[in-house]
Coordinates of all heavy atoms in Angstrom, one line a residue:
M58 N 0.9 -1.2 0.0 CA 0.0 0.0 0.0 C 0.9 1.2 0.0 O 1.8 1.4 0.8 CB -1.0 0.0 1.2 CG -1.8 1.2 1.3 SD -3.0 1.2 2.6 CE -4.0 -0.3 2.3
D100 N -20.0 2.9 8.3 CA -19.0 1.9 7.9 C -19.1 1.7 6.4 O -18.0 1.4 5.8 CB -19.1 0.6 8.7 CG -18.7 0.8 10.2 OD1 -17.9 1.7 10.4 OD2 -19.1 -0.1 10.9
R103 N -17.2 4.4 4.5 CA -15.9 4.7 5.0 C -14.8 4.5 3.9 O -13.8 5.2 3.9 CB -15.6 4.0 6.3 CG -14.2 4.2 6.9 CD -14.1 3.6 8.3 NE -15.1 3.9 9.2 CZ -15.4 5.0 9.8 NH1 -14.7 6.0 9.6 NH2 -16.5 5.2 10.6
V104 N -15.1 3.6 3.1 CA -13.9 3.2 2.1 C -14.6 3.2 0.7 O -15.6 2.6 0.5 CB -13.4 1.8 2.4 CG1 -12.3 1.5 1.4 CG2 -12.8 1.8 3.8
R116 N -7.8 3.8 -3.3 CA -8.7 3.7 -2.3 C -8.8 5.1 -1.6 O -7.7 5.7 -1.2 CB -8.1 2.7 -1.2 CG -9.1 2.5 0.0 CD -8.5 1.5 0.9 NE -8.8 1.9 2.3 CZ -8.0 1.8 3.3 NH1 -6.9 1.2 3.1 NH2 -8.4 2.3 4.4
S118 N -10.3 7.1 1.6 CA -10.8 6.8 2.8 C -11.2 8.2 3.4 O -10.3 8.9 4.0 CB -9.8 6.2 3.8 OG -9.6 4.9 3.3
L120 N -12.3 10.4 6.4 CA -12.4 10.5 7.8 C -13.2 11.7 8.2 O -13.0 12.8 7.7 CB -11.0 10.4 8.5 CG -10.3 9.1 8.2 CD1 -8.9 9.3 8.9 CD2 -11.0 7.9 8.8
N126 N -10.3 7.8 16.4 CA -9.7 6.4 16.7 C -9.7 5.5 15.4 O -9.5 4.3 15.6 CB -10.5 5.8 17.8 CG -12.0 5.6 17.4 OD1 -12.5 6.2 16.5 ND2 -12.7 4.9 18.3
I127 N -10.0 6.0 14.2 CA -10.1 5.3 13.1 C -8.5 5.1 12.5 O -7.9 6.1 12.5 CB -11.0 5.8 12.1 CG1 -12.3 6.0 12.5 CG2 -10.9 5.0 10.7 CD1 -13.0 4.7 12.9
T128 N -8.2 3.9 12.1 CA -6.8 3.7 11.6 C -6.9 3.3 10.1 O -8.0 2.9 9.6 CB -6.1 2.7 12.4 OG1 -6.7 1.4 12.2 CG2 -6.0 3.0 13.9
I129 N -5.8 3.3 9.5 CA -5.7 3.0 8.1 C -5.9 1.4 8.0 O -6.7 0.9 7.2 CB -4.3 3.3 7.5 CG1 -4.3 4.8 7.3 CG2 -4.2 2.6 6.2 CD1 -2.9 5.3 6.9
A130 N -5.4 0.6 8.9 CA -5.6 -0.8 9.0 C -7.1 -1.2 9.2 O -7.5 -2.1 8.5 CB -4.7 -1.4 10.1
A131 N -7.8 -0.4 10.0 CA -9.2 -0.7 10.3 C -10.0 -0.3 9.0 O -10.9 -1.1 8.6 CB -9.7 0.2 11.4
G132 N -9.6 0.7 8.3 CA -10.3 0.9 6.9 C -10.1 -0.1 5.9 O -10.9 -0.4 5.1
L133 N -8.8 -0.7 5.9 CA -8.4 -1.7 4.9 C -9.3 -3.1 5.4 O -9.8 -3.7 4.4 CB -7.0 -2.1 4.9 CG -6.5 -3.1 4.1 CD1 -6.8 -2.9 2.6 CD2 -5.0 -3.4 4.3
E134 N -9.4 -3.3 6.6 CA -10.2 -4.5 7.0 C -11.6 -4.4 6.7 O -12.3 -5.3 6.2 CB -10.0 -4.7 8.5 CG -8.7 -5.3 8.9 CD -8.5 -5.4 10.4 OE1 -9.5 -5.6 11.2 OE2 -7.4 -5.6 10.9
A135 N -12.1 -3.1 6.8 CA -13.6 -2.8 6.4 C -13.7 -3.0 4.9 O -14.7 -3.6 4.5 CB -13.9 -1.3 6.7
A136 N -12.8 -2.5 4.1 CA -12.9 -2.8 2.7 C -12.9 -4.2 2.3 O -13.6 -4.7 1.4 CB -11.7 -2.0 1.9
C137 N -12.0 -5.0 3.0 CA -12.0 -6.4 2.8 C -13.3 -7.1 3.3 O -13.9 -8.0 2.5 CB -10.8 -7.1 3.5 SG -9.2 -6.6 2.7
D138 N -13.8 -6.8 4.4 CA -15.1 -7.3 4.9 C -16.2 -7.1 4.0 O -17.1 -7.9 3.8 CB -15.4 -6.8 6.3 CG -14.3 -7.4 7.3 OD1 -13.6 -8.3 7.0 OD2 -14.3 -6.7 8.5
Q139 N -16.3 -5.8 3.4 CA -17.3 -5.4 2.5 C -17.2 -5.9 1.1 O -18.0 -5.7 0.2 CB -17.4 -3.9 2.5 CG -17.8 -3.3 3.8 CD -17.7 -1.8 3.8 OE1 -17.5 -1.2 2.8 NE2 -17.7 -1.2 5.0
P147 N -5.1 -8.3 5.5 CA -4.6 -6.9 6.0 C -3.5 -7.1 7.0 O -2.7 -6.1 7.2 CB -5.9 -6.5 6.8 CG -7.0 -7.1 6.2 CD -6.4 -8.6 5.7
Y152 N 3.5 -1.1 4.0 CA 3.1 0.3 3.7 C 4.3 1.1 3.4 O 5.3 1.0 3.9 CB 2.5 1.0 5.0 CG 1.2 0.3 5.5 CD1 1.2 -0.8 6.4 CD2 0.0 0.7 5.1 CE1 0.0 -1.4 6.7 CE2 -1.2 0.3 5.4 CZ -1.2 -0.8 6.3 OH -2.3 -1.4 6.8

Side-chain angles (χ1 to χ4, degrees):
M58 180 176 298
D100 286 340
R103 185 169 309 285
V104 180
R116 185 178 140 216
S118 292
L120 294 179
N126 61 346
I127 304 299
T128 64
I129 291 172
L133 180 60
E134 288 179 20
C137 291
D138 291 344
Q139 295 170 14
Y152 295 89

